[in-house]
Amino acid sequence: MLEHIELFFKSIFIDNMVFAVFLGMCSYLAVSKKVATAVGLGAAVIFVLAVTVPLNWLLDQYLLRDGALAWLGPEYADYNLSFLSFIMFIATIATMVQLVEIVVEKFSPSLYNSLGIFLPLIAVNCAILGGSLFMQARDIPSLGLALNYGISSGIGWFLAILAIAAIREKIRYSNVPPPLRGLGITFIITGLMGIGFQSFGGMLTGDNDPPETTEQTTAEKIEEEKIIKEEIDDKKAVSYNDVINE
Amino acid sequence: MALLSKKDANLILDPLADNNPITIQVLGICSALAITAELKASLVMSISVIFVMGVGNVVISLMRNLIPSKIRIIAQLIVVATLVIVVDQVLKAFAYELSKTLSVFVGLIITNCIIMGRFEAFALGNGVWRSFLDGVGNALGYGLILVMVGFFRELLGAGTLFGIPVLGDPIAKTGLYSIGYENNGFMIIPPAALIVVGVIIWVQRSRNRALIEEA
């Protein structure tokens, strides 16, 4: 239970799709001019992520990963099809989006009217494929957690697009320098919001792994190098002092 | 140029500046920004995208009369996914460390909006040679911004380019550091990429006022 809660808050705030890994930026920038449309797209993203991440988790567990085919018999245990995961994931996503569109149109025309136009957009939204790829890269251990991961990262994306849409509606009345208007200021605001979201990084204490972004590793490398060099410098200073003392 | 007519040359030159995929068309930001903390990663990403776009546009253009329009998105996704698997396998074989750094972002080239956008807008309606030029041109425009962002982030954030210190040694206080310069750790965190792109847009639109948006 605790791991569910931890994953839930971690995916919403710390590893936020938009602010930490920049997924789904294209539709995030294109569809965030009005709050109402942003809500529609955000809801569709939550929905599709909640369907595709668990599905791709099953695919990964029972078809793609190293030794996943063992259930077919011992002679299949050596197969590793993980190089096929891109094409399998994207095919699942495109099919599911199409299927979801048909089902929603059939059973809930009102929902279709509000979500419908966004669904085709979603097949090529990086947040969706990114959700599945991160699920694979982070080795999410169970189907329940995969579902949780899909929903919570969807909510994180929803929050981000809602916030930027609200800000963009207000900023229309501000006096932004002309060359920055539109795209430029949106980029900079998103950057500032991202810095704000970084402060959630300290929210989970205990054994939270460092996030797997490349930036972090570079920062850490530099940090490590500094520490090592400082240690060497300290040692030098100590021996120097010793010499003086002697 | 004798090789390219003026019209064809524009297919390559336009996306580099006034019709840049990132700063003007707002496509392909997704996979672009997260890997720009180092110049090397930006460069490899750009080369991968140039390959995928060039070949992909040619393939789609060759198949443009065969694809039924209803399932064209899935057909396009399959073509890109195949090319991206090739890139991923090549990276894993020849530059394993780098492919670890890029991690899932190689896979995300598939959903890079530039690729789908150019397939839809150009390759489905034009001949093979022109589609190839258009693909390479747009990928170059994308790569240009990526390399610019990578250059500034690595230079200001870590004082290195391609991992080689260019501003002196921050610990031994040589070069620029001897006069009190400090690395800006701010540039290494992910949101700084957005701010750098925002500033690039600002500079570009100040220079060319025709590009300024109304809103």
Side-chain angles (χ1 to χ4, degrees):
Chain A
M1 194 59 217
L2 199 66
E3 57 183 348
H4 275 277
I5 297 173
E6 189 178 326
L7 182 70
F8 186 75
F9 285 106
K10 201 174 165 201
S11 335
I12 294 183
F13 293 110
I14 301 172
D15 293 336
N16 186 288
M17 280 276 187
V18 172
F19 298 127
V21 281
F22 307 112
L23 296 182
M25 288 298 290
C26 306
S27 25
Y28 169 86
L29 292 168
V31 194
S32 62
K33 285 192 178 125
K34 278 191 190 145
V35 171
T37 45
V39 170
L41 184 68
V45 166
I46 298 181
F47 193 60
V48 175
L49 268 174
V51 177
T52 55
V53 172
L55 209 65
N56 281 334
W57 185 85
L58 288 175
L59 265 181
D60 186 41
Q61 285 294 308
Y62 296 107
L63 268 181
L64 297 173
R65 66 169 46 205
D66 198 7
L69 287 171
W71 56 272
L72 273 178
E75 67 270 33
Y76 294 101
D78 294 338
Y79 286 80
N80 181 357
L81 296 181
S82 53
F83 69 95
L84 282 177
S85 37
F86 294 156
I87 209 162
M88 290 294 278
F89 285 176
I90 198 70
T92 320
I93 289 167
T95 327
M96 280 319 293
V97 169
Q98 207 92 62
L99 204 68
V100 165
E101 197 180 346
I102 295 168
V103 170
V104 172
E105 189 180 11
K106 177 100 177 135
F107 291 105
S108 169
S110 63
L111 184 65
Y112 180 76
N113 285 335
S114 53
L115 286 189
I117 46 168
F118 300 117
L119 282 172
L121 264 181
I122 280 179
V124 288
N125 187 331
C126 335
I128 309 291
L129 182 65
S132 292
L133 289 177
F134 271 117
M135 174 272 297
Q136 190 191 31
R138 285 176 191 165
D139 279 325
I140 303 257
S142 74
L143 185 61
L145 280 173
L147 177 68
N148 181 341
Y149 181 69
I151 294 176
S152 51
S153 38
I155 294 175
W157 200 87
F158 178 86
L159 279 181
I161 196 170
L162 191 64
I164 195 74
I167 292 176
R168 282 181 87 172
E169 277 196 0
K170 288 281 172 204
I171 215 165
R172 211 164 293 150
Y173 307 107
S174 317
N175 187 14
V176 179
L180 265 181
R181 261 174 221 162
L183 194 57
I185 196 73
T186 315
F187 266 102
I188 292 178
I189 292 172
T190 312
L192 295 177
M193 284 162 76
I195 292 171
F197 262 67
Q198 291 237 318
S199 60
F200 286 116
M203 198 169 71
L204 293 179
T205 48
D207 59 340
N208 54 337
D209 311 328
E212 294 163 341
T213 53
T214 53
E215 279 78 8
Q216 298 290 347
T217 49
T218 343
E220 275 165 19
K221 259 188 235 158
I222 293 166
E223 200 66 24
E224 269 173 24
E225 275 170 20
K226 252 188 207 164
I227 291 171
I228 292 170
K229 287 220 173 139
E230 268 165 17
E231 274 172 10
I232 295 171
D233 286 353
D234 282 353
K235 270 182 202 155
K236 270 185 199 158
V238 170
S239 52
Y240 187 63
N241 284 344
D242 287 350
V243 171
I244 292 177
N245 286 344
E246 278 167 27
Chain B
M1 273 188 285
L3 188 63
L4 300 170
S5 67
K6 196 165 184 321
K7 221 169 137 198
D8 284 352
N10 278 344
L11 285 175
I12 289 210
L13 295 179
D14 262 0
L16 289 183
D18 289 348
N19 198 15
N20 189 285
I22 291 188
T23 60
I24 310 295
Q25 302 175 35
V26 208
L27 295 175
I29 298 131
C30 326
S31 55
L33 299 177
I35 46 91
T36 50
E38 292 164 48
L39 191 53
K40 202 169 153 198
S42 317
L43 201 65
V44 170
M45 189 73 176
S46 315
I47 294 169
S48 315
V49 171
I50 291 172
F51 168 76
V52 174
M53 287 274 306
V55 180
N57 255 4
V58 167
V59 173
I60 291 290
S61 169
L62 282 172
M63 302 201 310
R64 68 183 187 278
N65 297 323
L66 299 175
I67 305 175
S69 71
K70 273 198 176 164
I71 57 156
R72 67 177 192 283
I73 298 220
I74 295 186
Q76 290 163 3
L77 284 174
I78 299 295
V79 172
V80 195
T82 317
L83 290 170
V84 170
I85 289 177
V86 173
V87 169
D88 188 44
Q89 297 291 317
V90 169
L91 278 183
K92 275 194 182 133
F94 294 107
Y96 188 71
E97 284 303 308
L98 208 60
S99 81
K100 280 278 164 244
T101 319
L102 293 175
S103 70
V104 302
F105 293 100
V106 178
L108 288 172
I109 297 177
I110 299 172
T111 46
N112 193 323
C113 325
I114 297 184
I115 295 182
M116 297 302 287
R118 292 329 290 177
F119 282 3
E120 285 280 305
F122 203 90
L124 278 177
N126 284 283
V128 174
W129 174 238
R130 283 169 60 78
S131 301
F132 175 73
L133 292 179
D134 180 76
V136 172
N138 274 284
L140 279 174
Y142 166 91
L144 183 72
I145 300 289
L146 231 66
V147 168
M148 268 160 83
V149 177
F151 175 81
F152 283 114
R153 283 183 73 191
E154 191 176 345
L155 184 68
L156 300 178
T160 59
L161 288 175
F162 293 111
I164 304 160
V166 287
L167 296 181
D169 191 336
I171 291 114
K173 300 276 177 225
T174 57
L176 264 185
Y177 296 97
S178 62
I179 53 170
Y181 177 81
E182 288 287 340
N183 278 335
N184 187 355
F186 206 60
M187 299 302 284
I188 290 177
I189 62 171
L194 286 163
I195 296 177
V196 174
V197 176
V199 172
I200 292 177
I201 293 174
W202 190 1
V203 172
Q204 188 185 18
R205 293 185 184 184
S206 317
R207 288 165 56 99
N208 186 349
R209 298 227 152 223
L211 300 173
I212 292 173
E213 287 175 47
E214 281 299 310

